[in-house]
Amino acid sequence: IVLEALAVTLGRNARTENLLVSEERLLSQGVELFEAGRGGDVTYHGPGQVVGYPIVEIPEGRRDVHRYVRELEEVMIRVCADYGFAARRIAGKSGTFVGDNKIGAIGVRVSRWVTSHGFAFNVNTNLSGFDLIVPCGLRDQGVTSLAKLLGAEVDQTEVEDRLISRFLEIMDYPARRGRDQTPVASR
């Protein structure tokens, strides 16, 4: 998903104290507020962020929501490694971190083993939008982006391609090319 607008989304587990400003203030800054049917708490979405909402049926033998979340984390960990950064998980917290700063958030929904929602990966994101919230309810972690880590803007399309490639690799889907030459999963 390519983001043109600014938004704050509230997951099913969102806590009101993690929204640091009123809805009126959000709107006055051009930020829309949405309740989302995904897991997780509060997160910010804006231009420069890759939002991936894979819609896949989790195959038998892999039907574990926590495993799927760990696999999405692994996708982002490997993309960070592609750019020379050691990303990691933090026990008890979903998402991907470089040092103590979150670079990728995860909020999924799984119904009848079909996934929806997914992840938000900060590429060239203006991080000031995160000042409006306590990202994912994590008061002791900051937020970062690939651009901040590299000290320069990153080719967004290249990152999107790497995320798709790593997703297909982690999920063990063979890559094939669609009509528009975009890699798509096939089973």
Side-chain angles (χ1 to χ4, degrees), residues 22-58:
S22 68
E23 186 171 356
E24 293 75 29
R25 179 152 173 228
L26 287 174
L27 291 171
S28 74
Q29 294 183 11
V31 180
E32 294 186 70
L33 182 65
F34 296 98
E35 289 186 26
R38 60 165 173 77
D41 203 313
V42 179
T43 196
Y44 168 80
H45 299 288
Q49 188 178 66
V50 176
V51 177
Y53 278 11
I55 301 171
V56 296
E57 181 179 15
I58 300 174

Side-chain angles (χ1 to χ4, degrees), residues 134-149:
V134 177
C136 304
L138 303 175
R139 294 188 181 276
D140 55 341
Q141 258 80 45
V143 180
T144 195
S145 67
L146 275 180
K148 182 175 181 181
L149 293 168

Side-chain angles (χ1 to χ4, degrees), residues 56-60 62-64 68 110 113-115 171 173:
V56 296
E57 181 179 15
I58 300 174
E60 285 191 41
R62 294 177 77 136
R63 292 189 170 167
D64 178 330
Y68 178 68
V110 178
W113 299 112
V114 175
T115 66
M171 296 300 291
Y173 286 116

